[in-house]
Amino acid sequence: MGIIIGRKRRCSCSAPREDHHLLLLTFFVAILLQKAVVESTTLNYTRHRQTSTLRLERISKHLNKINKPHVLTIESPDGDLIDCIHKRKQLALDHPLLKNHKIQKMPTEMPKGMKVKKEENDNSTSEVAWQMWHLNGTRCPKGTVPIRRSTVHDVMRAKSLYDFGKKRSRVDSLSRRHDAPDILSGNGHEHAIAYTGSSQEMYGAKATINVWDPSIQVINEFSLSQLWILSGSFDGTDLNSIEAGWQVSPELYGDNRPRLFTYWTSDSYRATGCYNLLCAGFIQTNSRIAIGAAISPVSSYDGNQYDITILIWKDPKVGNWWMSFGDNTLVGYWPAELFTHLADHATMVEWGGEVVNSRTNGQHTFTQMGSGHFAEDGFGKASYFRNLQIVDTDNSLSSVQSISTLAENTNCYDIKSYYSNEWGTYFYYGGPGNNPQCP
């Protein structure tokens, strides 16, 4: 694969300007629909629908807004286009609260106790997963950041243009224990999570997660493994959440590859926030990590285990929430201006898995969580979170001493927590979804 440089092309046709534009648009739609048919025969991830000229124009306008002018484009082996965009031109700075924001190059402090050396399990090889677009061998130039380009097909797979890149509101039909946030029954989301809080102030969290490629039954379902940094009212409209991990989402990405992702909201997933860099908010500072890009390689059953380490913490002086990937690679930050409650501190942290169960044909989904195997299968078979840590009021990383666990339906997905000197507090989680005990 090579480097793609953006070029403008001109046409010397003699047709009137309006007819020419209409002709091009018609041709464009035909190409899109033809591509949709091809994709549907392989992945079945592109919805068939009538695409009006007006809708296509709206999509094009939105893409022009979020796909900023690039210095360079790198083509990934998986088909992604990674645009190298000047860091001062990135979408985040379009946010009205960030108009005069000066990009913070580095956090004022790293959390105390942050270790560079990775810990490994004695039972098998545990290696670091990286990103597929790196296989190209090309890097973004200094002063730019790699951004996964959004396409017309990405938007067309969403329920609507408004829903593109957003989690659906999760405050409808609330029925859950008040001490277990983000567990909302009746909305089709199922979880297997560990959590801590809300008796203490927290300023960050860390975990190492092994990466799998769970199968997804239908396009509007997903499977993810992540950590949540939370504050605010879980029953109201002011919940603040910062999230990061890996996910498989055919609707969002058009394939079944696990991808590094982030999310944020300051109003319970209603109007603010989005996945990755699909709206103004998260400011990227790293030139080698593309949020939303595929992670490779992935773990295999009874084989090598590949994991990623994610740390999110609040800069004690400036107040921005930084994210690091791996041992100490800074990715970027969520500016303090985006939040209300998290402008102060977090009241709860969660780690674990989540899937969407749309109950196609009245049955529980076959969408897998984690590796698709239950927690009891253990290392090399089940998915894990290890070395769970939180950042305290002193900006110190400390091992989580006690966690609670929760899974709505343990016949479908479950979770089991443990402790060891090497892995600290850790847990296995996941499951196959539909099975004889989970009809």
Side-chain angles (χ1 to χ4, degrees), residues 255-291:
D255 60 27
N256 59 352
R257 296 181 179 89
R259 294 169 177 272
L260 175 67
F261 84 96
T262 60
Y263 200 92
W264 71 274
T265 181
S266 61
D267 64 352
S268 302
Y269 305 92
R270 290 177 179 267
T272 64
C274 61
Y275 278 111
N276 307 332
L277 306 177
L278 296 178
C279 68
F282 184 87
I283 295 178
Q284 181 149 343
T285 59
N286 188 281
S287 64
R288 294 198 64 196
I289 296 172
I291 300 173

Side-chain angles (χ1 to χ4, degrees), residues 137-159:
T138 307
R139 297 288 181 264
C140 282
K142 185 178 180 179
T144 67
V145 292
I147 311 291
R148 179 183 182 270
R149 186 187 301 178
S150 295
T151 68
V152 172
H153 267 286
D154 290 337
V155 181
M156 288 177 65
R157 284 189 302 270
K159 183 179 179 181

Side-chain angles (χ1 to χ4, degrees), residues 130-366:
W130 203 226
Q131 294 197 302
M132 191 172 289
W133 69 280
H134 292 161
L135 298 176
N136 178 286
T138 307
R139 297 288 181 264
C140 282
K142 185 178 180 179
T144 67
V145 292
I147 311 291
R148 179 183 182 270
R149 186 187 301 178
S150 295
T151 68
V152 172
H153 267 286
D154 290 337
V155 181
M156 288 177 65
R157 284 189 302 270
K159 183 179 179 181
S160 69
L161 182 58
Y162 177 81
D163 291 314
F164 174 60
K166 294 183 178 180
K167 286 188 176 183
R168 291 169 179 82
S169 176
R170 311 178 70 183
V171 294
D172 299 326
S173 305
L174 285 170
S175 176
R176 55 163 178 78
R177 290 163 37 185
H178 82 280
D179 63 340
D182 212 37
I183 302 300
L184 313 182
S185 60
N187 69 345
H189 290 249
E190 295 188 21
H191 307 75
I193 66 162
Y195 59 96
T196 186
S198 52
S199 60
Q200 57 182 321
E201 295 181 3
M202 289 170 284
Y203 294 84
K206 184 180 182 181
T208 297
I209 321 164
N210 64 340
V211 182
W212 297 82
D213 54 352
S215 64
I216 311 297
Q217 183 178 354
V218 294
I219 182 177
N220 64 338
E221 296 180 341
F222 63 66
S223 181
L224 59 76
S225 299
Q226 68 169 78
L227 56 86
W228 291 258
I229 310 287
L230 299 158
S231 190
S233 172
F234 301 120
D235 292 328
T237 61
D238 63 343
L239 178 67
N240 288 199
S241 181
I242 292 174
E243 308 168 22
W246 62 264
Q247 70 177 162
V248 176
S249 176
E251 180 177 279
L252 192 58
Y253 306 106
D255 60 27
N256 59 352
R257 296 181 179 89
R259 294 169 177 272
L260 175 67
F261 84 96
T262 60
Y263 200 92
W264 71 274
T265 181
S266 61
D267 64 352
S268 302
Y269 305 92
R270 290 177 179 267
T272 64
C274 61
Y275 278 111
N276 307 332
L277 306 177
L278 296 178
C279 68
F282 184 87
I283 295 178
Q284 181 149 343
T285 59
N286 188 281
S287 64
R288 294 198 64 196
I289 296 172
I291 300 173
I295 300 171
S296 180
V298 299
S299 303
S300 59
Y301 186 84
D302 237 357
N304 286 349
Q305 303 300 295
Y306 295 91
D307 54 32
I308 60 175
T309 299
I310 292 176
L311 165 64
I312 298 172
W313 84 100
K314 186 182 181 186
D315 186 309
K317 294 181 180 178
V318 180
N320 299 326
W321 288 85
W322 278 86
M323 172 182 168
S324 76
F325 180 79
D327 292 317
N328 59 358
T329 302
L330 298 172
V331 180
Y333 62 91
W334 292 268
E337 295 93 325
L338 299 177
F339 303 104
T340 52
H341 299 288
L342 281 177
D344 189 6
H345 63 272
T347 56
M348 187 166 288
V349 172
E350 294 177 14
W351 303 263
E354 177 183 356
V355 300
V356 173
N357 172 27
S358 58
R359 295 197 64 83
T360 303
N361 300 322
Q363 294 182 324
H364 190 284
T365 183
F366 284 89

